[in-house]
Amino acid sequence: QNVDDLVYMVRINPARNERRFFRLWIARNLFGDIDLIREHGRIGVWSTTKYLPCPNIRHAQREMQALVRRKLSNGYSLKPF
């Protein structure tokens, strides 16, 4: 797995009591297929995980880039993982 295939983003706004995270990564599932995995929620609390099956690694990377652009436009910032 490449480092480029791991993304961690946060949105923190103390005035709104907002401490959210969004994590994306690409991995193979038990059947060898490619999944784009999204995990999100409040920092320090249980999170939600969703799996998006992708036909190939390029498709997963394009989906990841689109999600990162959308989250950045919604106030999230990239953080080292």
Side-chain angles (χ1 to χ4, degrees), residues 24 60-72:
L24 293 165
Q61 289 170 333
R62 281 194 304 269
E63 290 290 329
M64 178 185 275
Q65 290 170 354
L67 284 167
V68 167
R69 279 193 302 271
R70 189 170 76 200
K71 291 298 179 182
L72 287 172

